[in-house]
Amino acid sequence: MGAILALRAGPEAPATRWQSATDAALLEASARHIEPAFVVLIQRYQRDVYRLVWRISAGHADSEDIAQETFLRLWVNPAQVREAKALKGWLLRVASNMVMDRYRRKPMLNIDAAEDIADMAPGPDGWRELSQVSRAVDTAIAQLPDRQRMALALVHFEQMSNIAAAEVMELSVDALESLLARARRRLKEILGPEGKEMLLAVEKAK
Amino acid sequence: MNKQQEPLNDVELDQLLATASLPPQINGFEEKLLGRMANVRPVAMLRDNVVPFVRPVAINHKPAKPVSRGIGIAAALAASLIIGILLSDNAGVSELVDGVTGLQTSGQVADLAPAGLDDIGPVDEENQS
C-alpha cells in the first residue's frame, strides 16, 4: 500500500511536477498526451468553466456533464488553442456554445423556471430570509434571454472585462455593452417593486 | 411616487445580484473526467496510427512527336481510300449491309439502282380513283 502511495506521489504526480508549469507548457505537454499535465489544466479551470455553465444553464443538472465535455474537447486536440493566454476564453466559449446548442435542441429546465417572482414573495411579513431573495434573483436571471444571461454571467459573475467577455462571445465590445444594458434593464423590470423590499431584507441580514 | 415603487437603480441591482446563488460544490469532477478521457483518443494519438498515404506518381503523358502524328494521319487516310474503293462497287455495299444486319440483301441491291424514264410502265386509268 505504501509503495502504491509512493508511486502516486512520484515524479509524474501533477502536484510535484506540473503544478507550477505555465499554461503554455501544460498545453504543449497535453498535446503530447501527457495526462498529468492535462490534469493540472483541469484543476486550474474546472471551477471557472463549471460556474459559467451552471449560471447560463440556470443551474441545470447537466452542468457538470457539459463542463466535462468542454475539457474532453480540449483533450482531444489541445492544438486548437493557438495561444496559451487565450485558453480560459477558449474554454468558456466552448462551454457556453455547448450550453446553447444543447438547450436549443431541448428546452432548458431552469432552477425555478416555472416560478414567478410575484409567486415567490413571502406573505405579509415581506422578504425575511436572504435565501428567499437569492432564489428570486436566480429566477430573474434565469428569465433573461440566453445571450443577455451569458453577458451578465461573464461580466458580473466571472468578473471579466467587457473586452474579454466580448471575445468569449465573439461580439464587438459595443454589442456586448448593449446586451449587458438590456440585461440589467430587464432584470429591473422582472424584479419590479419587489426588488426594493428584497433590498430591505438584504440590509437586515447584514 | 413612493420610494418603494421606484425602479431599482444600478447600485441596488448590484446589491441584489450579489445575493444570487453560487453553484454547488462538485465532487469527483476530476476523477469522472479522467474516466471519460480514457475512452477518448486524442487527435495526436490517432495521427500516430495513420499510415501515410503515398501519392502515386502521375504518369507523364508526353505529346506525340510530329512524325508519328503524321504517320497516324497517313494511315487513316490510306484506310479511308481503301474502304472508299471497296464501297464504290454495289456488291461491296451489299456485303457490308449483309455483314452488319445478317440479312441477304446482296441480290436486291441491283434493284436499288436509280429509276429512270425506262421504268415508267403503263398506267391503268380505270383503276385510278
Side-chain angles (χ1 to χ4, degrees):
Chain A
M1 184 69 183
I4 293 169
L5 287 174
L7 271 175
R8 283 195 173 172
E12 283 301 314
T16 54
R17 185 168 175 186
W18 295 104
Q19 210 72 62
S20 57
T22 61
D23 282 357
L26 293 173
L27 270 176
E28 199 265 334
S30 301
R32 288 185 284 119
H33 24 97
I34 297 173
E35 205 173 280
F38 191 73
V39 168
V40 176
L41 279 181
I42 297 170
Q43 290 167 349
R44 264 183 209 176
Y45 294 108
Q46 62 166 304
R47 276 176 294 278
D48 295 329
V49 172
Y50 175 68
R51 205 168 45 230
L52 179 71
V53 171
W54 187 87
R55 182 68 61 195
I56 60 179
S57 69
H60 197 276
D62 285 353
S63 299
E64 186 179 345
D65 181 57
I66 294 172
Q68 289 190 359
E69 194 76 32
T70 304
F71 283 100
L72 279 179
R73 288 214 182 165
L74 180 64
W75 173 242
V76 167
N77 189 8
Q80 292 171 88
V81 185
R82 308 276 166 131
E83 287 182 73
K85 65 178 179 184
L87 176 62
K88 185 179 173 185
W90 185 92
L91 286 167
L92 297 182
R93 180 163 53 252
V94 170
S96 53
N97 287 343
M98 233 181 279
V99 175
M100 300 297 172
D101 286 348
R102 191 170 292 202
Y103 299 118
R104 206 170 284 142
R105 289 197 297 268
K106 55 180 182 179
M108 201 183 297
L109 299 168
N110 297 329
I111 302 171
D112 293 304
E115 290 182 89
D116 195 10
I117 301 293
D119 298 338
M120 294 174 68
D125 293 339
W127 298 84
R128 283 193 163 181
E129 296 284 329
L130 196 57
S131 62
Q132 290 172 326
V133 176
S134 292
R135 286 185 63 211
V137 172
D138 289 342
T139 306
I141 295 168
Q143 286 177 16
L144 290 174
D146 293 344
R147 304 284 284 172
Q148 291 180 20
R149 188 166 60 249
M150 191 170 155
L152 189 81
L154 290 170
V155 175
H156 188 88
F157 294 104
E158 293 304 313
Q159 308 279 308
M160 291 179 94
S161 68
N162 287 2
I163 296 170
E167 275 175 19
V168 169
M169 291 187 73
E170 295 177 307
L171 290 173
S172 67
V173 177
D174 285 347
L176 177 101
E177 286 171 352
S178 165
L179 273 177
L180 268 178
R182 278 185 279 151
R184 293 179 69 89
R185 199 164 51 237
R186 181 83 189 107
L187 276 178
K188 288 173 189 172
E189 286 168 11
I190 296 170
L191 293 167
E194 295 288 339
K196 293 278 185 187
E197 291 177 29
M198 290 179 206
L199 269 177
L200 292 175
V202 173
E203 290 295 325
K204 278 181 196 166
K206 280 183 182 172
Chain B
M1 191 176 184
N2 186 350
K3 200 179 177 210
Q4 290 286 1
Q5 290 174 336
E6 282 175 17
L8 293 167
N9 61 38
D10 283 339
V11 176
E12 289 168 337
L13 180 62
D14 285 339
Q15 283 177 330
L16 284 181
L17 284 175
T19 67
S21 306
L22 292 171
Q25 280 289 330
I26 41 173
N27 296 317
F29 182 92
E30 205 177 300
E31 287 73 21
K32 281 182 234 167
L33 180 54
L34 287 173
R36 291 176 73 176
M37 278 165 58
N39 300 321
V40 176
R41 302 200 75 190
V43 168
M45 277 185 175
L46 293 174
R47 277 200 206 110
D48 293 346
N49 286 344
V50 175
V51 177
F53 175 74
V54 180
R55 187 181 287 275
V57 179
I59 298 166
N60 190 10
H61 290 284
K62 288 181 183 172
K65 288 179 182 173
V67 175
S68 57
R69 204 182 300 161
I71 290 170
I73 291 168
L77 194 61
S80 63
L81 277 171
I82 292 164
I83 291 169
I85 291 164
L86 285 173
L87 293 182
S88 62
D89 183 9
N90 277 338
V93 174
S94 304
E95 281 160 15
L96 189 67
V97 172
D98 289 352
V100 172
T101 62
L103 298 171
Q104 287 297 320
T105 59
S106 307
Q108 298 164 15
V109 173
D111 295 335
L112 296 175
L117 288 170
D118 297 342
D119 294 328
I120 297 172
V123 175
D124 184 357
E125 290 183 356
E126 286 183 3
N127 286 337
Q128 298 296 311
S129 58

